[in-house]
Amino acid sequence: MKSSKRGYRHKIIPLTVLALSPLAIGTGHASPLALPSPLTFHAGPLGTLNVQGVASGYGVWQDNKFAPTTSGPANTPATKSASADISNGMVIIQKNTGLVQFYLQAGAYNVMTLGSSYFSTGTFTQNTFGALPVGYLEIAPTDNFNVQIGKLPTLIGAEYTFSYQNWNIERGLLWGQENAVNKGIQANYTIGPVTASLSWNDGFYSDRFNWVTGALTWAINKENSVFFQAGGNMGHTNFAYSSIATTPLQNNESIYDLGYTYTGENLVVTPYVQYTSVPASAIQALGVGTRKTSTVGAAILADYSLTDKISVAGRVEYISNSGSPTDGAANLTGFGPGSHAWSLTVTPTYQDGGFFARAELSYVTASMQSGTGFSGTNGLAQNQLRGMVETGFMF
């Protein structure tokens, strides 16, 4: 999920391609937001380094706010109807030439997801990936092969972790089943139109290195590409290293994504389907059910550029949680066993140089059981409407 400014504004590529270029992570190819060209400076024995940064804030309003929970970090604002905070306050330093390269991304950030509670930026940063969310060393013996080790962006999914990298401010329903950052080692190889990546890592930031993920992308031509991504826990992990990032059920899953991307002059569209499953043994070990549980999801993401400064993005999603409330199935989606959820998101964006501003309206509706998901005025709400704004500067 490359050479012209227009390409930066409109190209969406699967996450596997990011693994081959540290710069791609910072430039947000899945986004209408285009980071300006990096500042460069000479750093003695380190050679020439590139520096980029993002400083932005958001405001959010929602109806049918979430009911208070007894788990997770304290002082969460998830029960508020309105809030404002920093969305990105990060600096990116990288060396992307030579045999030995590196990428460092440091600062504060917040990741909001449809159909989920949210936290203050300080709480989220502290309880997920810390002040250095992405940082790795890269050995690149050739232009088409490299090996990376450290805190790496995931290979799974069609959306990136940080808001400035995406068409929409919030991540979607399918993103909730995908990991974001993992610690591990990753090999990447490109031959002609095919890009392949393979990683051994700790999955959902669990600090238990028993996950294997892989991704394969075929660029059919300049307008059309297809991708397949897969990953899974090779054992069982009954441990949460991070109170927000390490979701125990998902950290024991197997996940498969299959998608296609069309890149036109003004329009980019990426539909993809997703399947996940958690074995009964892991669910029983976690004490949240007795039987194997799975999710099936599909999404269409699109972005249309009206002008060089104005674009409109949209996202439509569906996801289902297998089982029923009484058959021992686990709650993987947050809406309960046997639930189904839909979402619709629209995000118009304006960018002029390093300044950007965008608004977002999202709607989620779900069939679910009382005690899961939204509360509303009677505790039984099955939908949620959110409005958001985000604005800031990039350099």
Side-chain angles (χ1 to χ4, degrees):
M1 92 250 263
K2 293 182 177 181
S3 62
S4 68
K5 181 178 179 181
R6 193 168 187 82
Y8 280 123
R9 290 179 61 83
H10 303 291
K11 186 165 181 64
I12 182 170
I13 54 178
L15 293 181
T16 178
V17 180
L18 288 176
L20 298 178
S21 172
L23 183 60
I25 299 171
T27 52
H29 285 67
S31 169
L33 301 179
L35 278 170
S37 298
L39 305 174
T40 62
F41 68 95
H42 184 69
L46 296 179
T48 299
L49 303 184
N50 297 329
V51 180
Q52 294 174 297
V54 184
S56 63
Y58 74 86
V60 59
W61 170 89
Q62 63 181 9
D63 68 356
N64 294 336
K65 59 188 180 181
F66 291 88
T69 61
T70 57
S71 61
N75 302 318
T76 169
T79 57
K80 293 183 178 180
S81 296
S83 183
D85 211 327
I86 296 171
S87 55
N88 300 281
M90 291 185 288
V91 174
I92 301 161
I93 302 176
Q94 60 185 318
K95 183 180 186 295
N96 57 4
T97 58
L99 173 64
V100 180
Q101 305 177 20
F102 64 84
Y103 179 94
L104 301 172
Q105 183 167 344
Y109 49 92
N110 204 329
V111 179
M112 299 187 66
T113 307
L114 295 182
S116 297
S117 57
Y118 59 86
F119 304 90
S120 70
T121 298
T123 297
F124 189 89
T125 301
Q126 180 180 356
N127 291 277
T128 53
F129 315 113
L132 184 70
V134 180
Y136 56 86
L137 181 71
E138 177 176 320
I139 308 299
T142 68
D143 289 340
N144 62 345
F145 175 74
N146 64 62
V147 176
Q148 302 165 334
I149 183 168
K151 297 174 71 172
L152 302 165
T154 180
L155 291 174
I156 307 296
E159 295 183 277
Y160 306 155
T161 299
F162 308 109
S163 66
Y164 74 92
Q165 297 173 316
N166 290 279
W167 289 337
N168 306 109
I169 302 173
E170 301 171 272
R171 302 297 75 72
L173 297 177
L174 273 62
W175 190 87
Q177 306 304 310
E178 302 162 353
N179 63 348
V181 174
N182 45 242
K183 293 173 285 186
I185 186 169
Q186 181 173 307
N188 312 289
Y189 182 68
T190 298
I191 179 169
V194 177
T195 300
S197 298
L198 184 66
S199 175
W200 172 56
N201 56 71
D202 67 344
F204 283 73
Y205 208 68
S206 66
D207 209 35
R208 296 293 186 269
F209 295 88
N210 52 9
W211 263 73
V212 175
T213 56
L216 189 67
T217 300
W218 175 32
I220 302 169
N221 51 45
K222 66 178 182 179
E223 294 183 337
N224 302 279
S225 64
V226 294
F227 60 89
F228 174 69
Q229 306 156 346
N233 194 324
M234 300 296 100
H236 292 162
T237 306
N238 189 11
F239 174 78
Y241 178 74
S242 167
S243 60
I244 299 177
T246 310
T247 48
L249 279 168
Q250 282 75 14
N251 195 46
N252 284 280
E253 73 181 4
S254 297
I255 183 168
Y256 307 91
D257 284 358
L258 177 64
Y260 159 80
T261 296
Y262 167 79
T263 305
E265 181 67 16
N266 295 308
L267 175 68
V268 184
V269 180
T270 294
Y272 77 107
V273 293
Q274 178 192 90
Y275 173 79
T276 76
S277 66
V278 181
S281 56
I283 290 174
Q284 293 167 6
L286 293 170
V288 293
T290 59
R291 59 171 293 183
K292 174 183 175 181
T293 309
S294 62
T295 71
V296 176
I300 300 176
L301 297 85
D303 180 67
Y304 184 80
S305 293
L306 300 172
T307 71
D308 286 340
K309 297 180 180 179
I310 301 174
S311 62
V312 178
R315 178 181 57 206
V316 180
E317 297 177 290
Y318 167 83
I319 192 168
S320 65
N321 195 129
S322 69
S324 73
T326 59
D327 69 354
N331 180 8
L332 300 182
T333 62
F335 304 118
S339 64
H340 306 265
W342 291 86
S343 75
L344 175 63
T345 308
V346 178
T347 312
T349 296
Y350 172 82
Q351 181 180 359
D352 187 358
F355 170 79
F356 74 93
R358 53 184 176 174
E360 182 163 290
L361 188 66
S362 62
Y363 178 78
V364 179
T365 183
S367 64
M368 54 189 170
Q369 301 300 308
S370 177
T372 61
F374 319 119
S375 59
T377 57
N378 60 2
L380 298 173
Q382 295 188 340
N383 55 73
Q384 185 177 73
L385 181 68
R386 271 184 186 170
M388 291 194 70
V389 292
E390 183 184 34
T391 186
F393 303 93
M394 302 180 292
F395 63 87

